[in-house]
Structure formats: structure tokens, C-alpha cells
Amino acid sequence: MTNEIDVRKHAEKLQVQLEVKLKGDDTYWSKQVWDESKPLVLVLANYPTDANLLKGDLTGMLIRNGVVEMGQFGGMMIANLFTRPVKHPSDKSLSTAYAEDGMVELVKAAKEADRVIIATGSLPSRSLVAQTRMGEFWNHCKQEHLEKRVTILVNGKGKAVHPLAIRNEPWQFTGWNEDWMKGSKEGN
């Protein structure tokens, strides 16, 4: 029997500031901040869903859980290589899935963050359009001297993964490697 004298009922509260940057059908990023005294992390995924400030999606939930489990960040931004939702990713569909100013906004988000986690999985190795956009993002990071902030989310075997591919594993990272996008042509 638990000693009820030592255990007290209590309520826990946490204020989370939610923000999203939109323009028409384009979602540039979403942000959740729960502790402004701690660093901010940017997680770069593939493309947005129809989620909004209150309606989340599985990828966003997995990203938030992964960031919270790391214990070092007080907030996160989720941005994507592509700013428009994509149902079936192919070079044809991806070639029109981003706003003209999408890369500018992505680089601004990277500059705001203390760390950037690439969590696109195998998409850049399966799509020339995604590989080109990722290369463009990396070149901007180098121009802005952000290289040391960038890491890649990987599985236990060191393969770049999307958060959906490692739902029940702790997050692991590796530094940028010029050849990671040329990995296997199989899915994540």
C-alpha cells in the first residue's frame, strides 16, 4: 500500500506558444515554444500535411516527442524542404511543391535555431528534386556559417531516417556527409 501521506494530488500546467508561417497553400514552418530560456531546434522534414495550429499530425507528434526526450531544448520549429502538401512524392509532383521564397524562409528558420536536425529520411536519395533542394539548403547553411549546427537523424545503423521510420527508437545523429543523399534507393 502506498503511503498516502507522501503522495499529494496536484495539477501540472505548461504554456506552449504555437505559431505557424503560412502564405496561401504554403506552410513555411510551425513553431512550438514551451521554455524560452532554453535553445530552439529546427527539424527539417519533407513536406507539410493539412495540420494546423491545433490539429497535429503523426510526424509532428513524433518530432515533438523526440525533441522533448532530448531534454535540452525549450522549443522547436518544424520546417520542410517543400512548402506544399504532397500526396505521392515524385520528381514531377515535388517540382511544383514549393514557394519561390521557400528556401529563403527555410534559411531564416535555420539561423534562428541553435541546432538543425535533418529528418527527411531517404527522400533526397530517391528524388533528384529533393536532392537538389537539400543541396541548395546545405550551400546556404555553409554561406551563413551554420554547418556546425546541422545534424542528420539516423537509425542504429547510421542510415538517414524520417521520424516515422524510428517511432520506438531513441534519436541518434550524425554530422553532415556529402554522400548521405546518394545512399540506397530503397524507402526509409
Side-chain angles (χ1 to χ4, degrees), residues 141-157:
C141 286
K142 289 192 299 190
Q143 289 171 354
E144 297 292 337
H145 306 290
L146 304 174
E147 307 97 320
K148 291 184 180 178
R149 296 182 193 181
V150 178
T151 59
I152 300 170
L153 180 64
V154 296
N155 64 15
K157 297 177 181 174

